[in-house]
Amino acid sequence: MWIGIIFTLIILALGIWLDFKIGDKMMRKQAPVFSANTSSLREWQLITEGNVFYDVLFEDILHAKRSIKISFFIIENDSVSQKFFNLLQEKAMAGIQVYLLMDWIGCFKVKRKYIKQLKQSGVLVKKANPPKLPFFFYRLNQRNHRKVTVIDDQITYFGGFNIGKEYLGNDHKLGHWRDYHLRMQDDTCTDAINQTFNYDWDHTQQPKPKSQSEHRIACTLTITEAGQLEENVIEWINQASNSVTIASPYFIPTKRIFSSLMTALRRGVDLTILVPKKADHPFVKGAALPFFKKLIQQGASIYYYRNGFYHTKVLLIDETWCDIGTANFDQRSFLYNQEINLVTEQDDLLASIKHSLAMDKADSSLLTEQSLKKIPLPTKISSVFSRMIRPFL
């Protein structure tokens, strides 16, 4: 009996492993190679607080004249999501084309009655990336994490915020929520984000790159999935000559990215990492500890954000350019998730991002080797277990 059970478990584990390996290989071949360049963003707004985000987003939705395309990774069942759904229904009933793309897992809690109401009012609703054969287990872990909005083919959004009251800082465990989200009006970026949404909606049309190469390229929009982001991040870190700053809710790098960070430290690059002291997942904080210990020993400065939960996603290189968007500094974003990021050296936007990062650092405390020894025992235990599940955190 026990031999049969063990044999079955071995076959199951082998099947899952093959599913991931072959699925990863196939998805990397199919992933769109896509980016868009622009000389500068004509109009932009960096939003860091949830109340401002919802005020501005809902106002733009309210004044939409032709079309609304929205994709979110997480939509909760609460007062914020209800107001969001009501707005979409009102616009659809007024004759506006409304598309809502919800990640299959991230929006799993959205009640069927709400989806039914949306559809009855004329909102076109889809779930992104439902698990299916072939490569069931791989597809189960490939999430649409882009969180984009396109209104009237003129106004676009992407970044860290989702839909729910926790992003207003109303979660009593997490407290204040700090995040970065971009609102933009730029023809090139709008066209690229629109194409990306259409691709995510039906997968029938590959996005096409668009650039204004006759001008200085100050911003590049990068659309990634299936391992593309890992290659980008390694290239960016390897280009650093003076400093690298990473701001992320999670720090779970791949082996290759961690190796690039250690190499950068050895060649004299200053490495600063900002992560939240509070965790929204039982294993992510423990998963980062082994990396932190080695980085601190090599001279890195690691800060715990103390003013609530930190959900920012920024990679700043040499204080002269940065990557900002939807991707976390973890293996799920690097290897599986569909993400969208903006690489920019545009002076005014860069100055705003650096100013916000300086404020975040001021609200943080330095993590030292001594303080690592005082980490609570449950976190240390989770650190051991998390080694086995790093890619899925």
Side-chain angles (χ1 to χ4, degrees):
M1 176 181 175
W2 285 108
I3 294 176
I5 293 174
I6 293 172
F7 180 75
T8 301
L9 290 174
I10 291 173
I11 294 298
L12 179 62
L14 180 62
I16 293 174
W17 181 81
L18 286 172
D19 180 287
F20 265 95
K21 285 295 182 181
I22 300 174
D24 180 67
K25 186 176 181 179
M26 296 302 295
M27 293 300 175
R28 285 175 185 252
K29 289 182 179 179
Q30 298 173 11
V33 179
F34 181 45
S35 64
N37 302 322
T38 184
S39 55
S40 65
L41 297 180
R42 178 168 55 88
E43 185 177 329
W44 58 269
Q45 180 179 359
L46 178 64
I47 303 171
T48 60
E49 300 294 334
N51 60 328
V52 178
F53 172 67
Y54 293 130
D55 285 347
V56 175
L57 175 65
F58 290 174
E59 188 72 11
D60 281 336
I61 292 173
L62 185 64
H63 290 97
K65 304 297 182 185
R66 298 185 303 277
S67 64
I68 300 168
K69 298 178 179 179
I70 296 185
S71 171
F72 277 108
F73 174 59
I74 294 174
I75 300 179
E76 302 286 358
N77 286 312
D78 55 30
S79 57
V80 175
S81 61
Q82 195 58 61
K83 182 177 180 180
F84 173 68
F85 289 150
N86 289 341
L87 269 174
L88 296 185
Q89 289 175 236
E90 290 174 13
K91 300 306 292 187
M93 289 187 291
I96 307 299
Q97 288 185 321
V98 181
Y99 300 81
L100 175 61
L101 184 64
M102 301 185 291
D103 184 75
W104 189 84
I105 285 184
C107 297
F108 194 79
K109 292 190 294 184
V110 175
K111 295 179 180 179
R112 291 183 179 180
K113 69 174 184 179
Y114 295 146
I115 296 176
K116 184 178 180 180
Q117 290 170 0
L118 287 163
K119 291 181 176 180
Q120 287 176 340
S121 68
V123 178
L124 299 173
V125 183
K126 272 191 179 183
K127 289 287 187 76
N129 297 346
K132 61 182 179 180
L133 296 173
F135 317 125
F136 177 88
F137 292 102
Y138 181 91
R139 294 178 189 273
L140 191 64
N141 282 279
Q142 187 182 48
R143 310 302 347 137
N144 189 311
H145 198 244
R146 297 203 227 266
K147 302 183 288 283
V148 302
T149 298
V150 184
I151 296 176
D152 290 339
D153 294 331
Q154 294 179 342
I155 301 170
T156 57
Y157 290 79
F158 68 88
F161 285 112
N162 288 288
I163 299 293
K165 64 182 183 181
E166 68 180 321
Y167 304 98
L168 289 169
N170 292 340
D171 186 296
H172 69 279
K173 292 182 179 179
L174 298 176
H176 172 250
W177 189 281
R178 180 71 165 175
D179 219 325
Y180 289 10
H181 214 98
L182 281 173
R183 178 189 185 273
M184 304 185 301
Q185 287 183 257
D186 176 82
D187 293 341
T188 301
C189 288
T190 298
D191 183 56
I193 295 172
N194 198 22
Q195 287 188 55
T196 303
F197 181 92
N198 293 342
Y199 166 73
D200 289 342
W201 182 264
D202 57 24
H203 287 273
T204 60
Q205 196 170 23
Q206 290 278 338
K208 298 178 181 179
K210 182 176 182 179
S211 79
Q212 298 175 351
S213 56
E214 66 272 16
H215 302 294
R216 168 180 172 266
I217 296 174
C219 299
T220 299
L221 198 67
T222 62
I223 291 85
T224 58
E225 58 188 74
Q228 294 168 315
L229 185 58
E230 182 189 35
E231 302 298 330
N232 289 351
V233 171
I234 290 170
E235 180 182 349
W236 297 335
I237 294 171
N238 289 345
Q239 289 177 12
S241 56
N242 298 312
S243 64
V244 172
T245 299
I246 299 166
S248 173
Y250 321 113
F251 186 85
I252 313 174
T254 64
K255 289 182 179 179
R256 295 174 63 209
I257 289 176
F258 184 68
S259 176
S260 293
L261 290 172
M262 292 293 283
T263 300
L265 284 167
R266 293 187 190 105
R267 68 173 185 266
V269 173
D270 292 328
L271 174 61
T272 301
I273 300 171
L274 284 82
V275 292
K277 186 173 184 179
K278 295 182 179 181
D280 64 343
H281 188 286
F283 296 110
V284 293
K285 191 171 182 179
L289 292 181
F291 299 114
F292 286 166
K293 184 177 181 180
K294 293 179 181 179
L295 291 171
I296 289 173
Q297 290 172 345
Q298 197 65 38
S301 299
I302 297 169
Y303 291 86
Y304 270 158
Y305 183 77
R306 299 169 303 185
N307 187 25
F309 188 67
Y310 196 58
H311 202 240
T312 296
K313 308 155 197 309
V314 171
L315 176 60
L316 176 64
I317 305 293
D318 292 339
E319 298 287 323
T320 58
W321 60 276
C322 80
D323 168 73
I324 179 173
T326 66
N328 299 314
F329 207 88
D330 63 10
Q331 295 186 25
R332 181 174 289 280
S333 284
F334 296 143
L335 301 177
Y336 304 119
N337 284 352
Q338 295 170 309
E339 307 282 2
I340 183 167
N341 286 45
L342 183 76
V343 178
T344 181
E345 57 181 67
Q346 183 169 321
D347 293 338
D348 53 351
L349 177 55
L350 189 64
S352 181
I353 293 170
K354 289 165 66 175
H355 174 72
S356 294
L357 287 174
M359 292 175 60
D360 299 341
K361 187 176 176 181
D363 282 334
S364 304
S365 57
L366 184 66
L367 185 65
T368 64
E369 286 191 77
Q370 190 64 29
S371 57
L372 278 175
K373 296 177 182 179
K374 298 178 182 179
I375 295 292
L377 182 60
T379 304
K380 292 180 180 178
I381 294 173
S382 74
S383 175
V384 176
F385 179 74
S386 67
R387 291 173 184 265
M388 298 181 288
I389 56 173
R390 281 174 182 167
F392 312 114
L393 293 175

